[in-house]
Amino acid sequence: MINEAALLESKTLRDGVLERTDVLDRVKALSLLPDGMHVTTAMVAAYFEVAERVINRMAQRHRDELTVNGLRILRGEDLARFKGDTLSLFPESYPQPRSSLALWSRRAVLNVAMLLRDSNVARQVRTYLLDMEYLARTRPVETPARSRDVPLDDRIDQRITHILGKTVVPMFNALIETSGEHRQELTSLREDVERIEQRLCDHHTRIADLEHTGGPRRYTGIMASIDAMNWREFEHHIAVLLRRDGCTDVIVHGGPGDRGVDVTARTADGRSVVAQCKSFAPYRPVWSGELQKFLGASRVQHAADVALFVATTSFAPDARAIAEAYGVTLVDRSHLEKWSAGVPLPVLQ
């Protein structure tokens, strides 16, 4: 079993568990900015119950690692845009930065938990991570006789992973605890073994996803953040995505008097864009009547080149038929998840 000291000292081990951002909410609630995806340095410090200067010093020492995992420093136009799109929604709740602003993703916050030595909250997060890793490694593996429908290579992967987790890694842990002269070499060898074990686990997961779900899900947690937004925050979230995909003149119109559209913009090649944003519960689909209303607003009132209907749910068959007949681009829950995760929307390119 991986111990806490190894997690603090080994970047390889940290990289292997960075997808488990749900652990953060098991320890305590992590407050997010209105965009539903980021926190400030002050919010990171509050979560881990340490002084903000502690987070700043740690960020300086591990800047490259944290940047890879989602730490961004906004300055200039990027900072001004973020203030207008996000912080301006609740000016009384968040201090307005002057020259720069550090934004931390949930993945970067989890990275902090594995770097902070003197935080009780960080220790609790590491404990949850280690427990989850232990459970994953010690989960019983079916024997070939009981799983004939599973491909042979897949069964071999599971058996090797089981052996590595149950025997080889514990053996290295015992040797490291009692060794002196060769401690560093043994630690390095153990990390190599654990890296192989992690790759086998990843391989098994990818194969299972491809066989049973049509592809891996890489965007865990994004829709939970979007579902927590109110209608105004959701509209501004869509505005942020439009700007990220190269749109200019992005304006949020949502509310009374919006003439049937929530956001207008212009693509990089000059086409006009109008978007309707519906933040519905996942079980409540968008019906054809709502598509008909938007069709009139986007085509007749605004003469839009690109009409987007973005929803946090699915679209009824009649609504999809109307959209296909009149050239409306539908962004349903699954497409919204991918768009929010960084996959560009083709119609805007």
Side-chain angles (χ1 to χ4, degrees), residues 26-38:
R26 297 191 183 192
V27 175
K28 60 184 293 191
L30 175 64
S31 299
L32 299 173
L33 288 169
D35 68 352
M37 294 184 290
H38 296 97

Side-chain angles (χ1 to χ4, degrees), residues 141-150 152 155 159:
V141 180
E142 287 187 318
T143 63
R146 294 180 56 193
S147 53
R148 294 177 181 174
D149 57 328
V150 179
L152 178 60
R155 295 200 303 270
R159 293 173 65 189

